[in-house]
Amino acid sequence: MKTPSRLLYSVLDLAPILQGETAADSFRHSLELAQQVEKWGYHRFWLAEHHNIPGVASAATSVVIGFIAGGTSTIRVGSGGIMLPNHAPLVIAEQFGTLESLYPGRIDLGLGRAPGGDQTTARALRRGLGSSGDTFPGDVQELQGFFSPALPGQKVRAIPGQGLNVPLYLLGSSTFSASLAAELGLPFAFASHFAPEMLHQAIGIYRTHFRPSAALAKPHVMVGLNVFAADTDEEATRLFSSLQQVFLHLIRGWPKQLQPPVDDIDALWNPVEEAQVSRMTRCSAVGSPKSLRAQIESLLDETGADEIVATAHIHDPQARLRSFEIAAQVFQDLQKARA
């Protein structure tokens, strides 16, 4: 597949809470990461809404976005994403209108259709709103309206928010949001970093049915990728075992704080669990700079992605910084090769 000449590379941070640490520690690590990746040329820094998960601190996503944006100066900051069925569109318009007013030209609003947690937690979040994923298309369009200039006689407005045109992105792990993003002419980000099965089908539908809009003239495909880089393949593989443990614990139904890497991951799972974890983490680039480049090039050849959104559940904050530094050099080398 033909790949775009200009490749963007960005970060998705789940603000992982490390074993033995607190959410406050997590936020400090996230800010340090954002400040460094800003220097290394990453295009945007996204945080995701998850709830009732011991190892994820970004539940109040818009609050953390404000913290990160306040500690950086040029990198775009936003959500990857806000789980819109959990919220009234007006509330999100006001929150992101506030962020855009504070940090003009730097705020992204990525939207997801999933609850961002288990169903019991989802019911607690909605508190009788009566919202579900079935209302997602209408909710997105309502949100667009709140960011547009006010219409004559409009009784409900987002203040701040009205007329700010905060850019929207649709996220998904199936074809539903791909079709909606195409219909509305919005950028589409696929969550292949944890649900890679329908990646090619979804981006194919998105590109085929894309309708240009005031927001976007041509399709913009963003692909989620787990990136674990180190100076050697062996060390990168070891770091990767922390993410493997995340999915293993999810499969078993008892998520934990982010665990340290292990030397022998095979000692922790059975063959069925290994197969499930391998399926969920298939969209990963793990290795030394040379190995990383080959894996990323392969993904770009397969998908023609306009942007790679890299994420990394690495237990050691310094090793995580080093991983994103190595990845930045690989992305820059790929950009030069295309130029």
Side-chain angles (χ1 to χ4, degrees):
M1 179 178 291
K2 183 179 179 181
T3 56
S5 58
R6 181 171 182 254
L7 172 66
L8 298 178
Y9 54 102
S10 299
V11 174
L12 172 63
D13 179 33
L14 297 184
I17 304 175
L18 310 182
Q19 183 186 40
E21 291 195 351
T22 67
D25 297 313
S26 172
F27 299 141
R28 286 192 289 270
H29 297 323
S30 291
L31 179 58
E32 183 180 13
L33 176 62
Q35 291 169 337
Q36 292 300 317
V37 299
E38 181 176 65
K39 298 175 183 177
W40 296 330
Y42 285 83
H43 183 62
R44 64 182 102 241
F45 189 96
W46 276 5
L47 295 129
E49 177 186 348
H50 290 280
H51 299 279
N52 198 29
I53 299 177
V56 178
S58 54
T61 316
S62 59
V63 179
V64 186
I65 289 170
F67 174 64
I68 298 298
T72 53
S73 57
T74 58
I75 194 169
R76 298 193 65 86
V77 186
S79 61
I82 290 290
M83 301 298 109
L84 193 54
N86 295 337
H87 311 280
L90 176 60
V91 172
I92 297 304
E94 291 170 340
Q95 289 177 1
F96 279 78
T98 300
L99 288 167
E100 176 64 22
S101 298
L102 290 168
Y103 310 104
R106 294 181 55 211
I107 300 300
D108 295 333
L109 176 48
L111 300 168
R113 179 171 170 255
D118 60 83
Q119 291 302 316
T120 302
T121 304
R123 285 192 292 271
L125 284 163
R126 289 169 187 153
R127 306 289 292 183
L129 280 174
S131 178
S132 71
D134 294 334
T135 68
F136 185 65
D139 289 345
V140 172
Q141 291 175 299
E142 183 179 354
L143 189 54
Q144 285 182 307
F146 284 130
F147 286 131
S148 301
L151 299 173
Q154 183 172 334
K155 294 183 177 180
V156 179
R157 295 182 293 159
I159 302 172
Q162 199 81 61
L164 293 183
N165 294 313
V166 174
L168 303 185
Y169 303 74
L170 292 195
L171 285 59
S173 58
S174 69
T175 60
F176 183 95
S177 291
S179 296
L180 183 60
E183 178 184 345
L184 298 179
L186 295 174
F188 177 59
F190 193 85
S192 38
H193 58 291
F194 71 88
E197 288 84 356
M198 302 185 74
L199 169 63
H200 297 287
Q201 183 180 355
I203 62 178
I205 288 172
Y206 171 66
R207 287 193 176 108
T208 300
H209 298 284
F210 181 84
R211 298 177 184 176
S213 68
L216 194 64
K218 61 181 182 178
H220 184 82
V221 171
M222 305 165 70
V223 173
L225 178 67
N226 298 303
V227 174
F228 288 76
D231 294 321
T232 66
D233 289 342
E234 293 75 18
E235 179 57 21
T237 299
R238 182 175 178 275
L239 295 175
F240 184 52
S241 67
S242 289
L243 178 65
Q244 292 171 313
Q245 291 177 77
V246 168
F247 286 109
L248 176 61
H249 296 144
L250 286 174
I251 289 168
R252 291 176 174 174
W254 39 286
K256 298 181 177 183
Q257 293 181 326
L258 186 62
Q259 302 295 298
V262 295
D263 293 324
D264 183 12
I265 188 68
D266 290 332
L268 301 184
W269 55 27
N270 61 45
V272 173
E273 291 170 333
E274 178 185 7
Q276 287 181 279
V277 171
S278 296
R279 174 178 57 80
M280 297 172 76
T281 60
R282 190 169 68 242
C283 201
S284 302
V286 182
S288 63
K290 181 178 179 180
S291 299
L292 203 70
R293 174 165 178 163
Q295 294 169 65
I296 293 174
E297 282 185 309
S298 177
L299 179 66
L300 292 172
D301 289 342
E302 290 177 12
T303 64
D306 301 284
E307 184 170 350
I308 296 294
V309 183
T311 187
H313 274 68
I314 296 177
H315 186 269
D316 179 355
Q318 294 306 310
R320 185 165 74 143
L321 289 174
R322 177 59 179 153
S323 178
F324 278 104
E325 182 181 23
I326 291 172
Q329 187 59 61
V330 170
F331 285 124
Q332 290 163 13
D333 290 344
L334 288 170
Q335 285 179 329
K336 291 176 183 177
R338 292 180 177 199

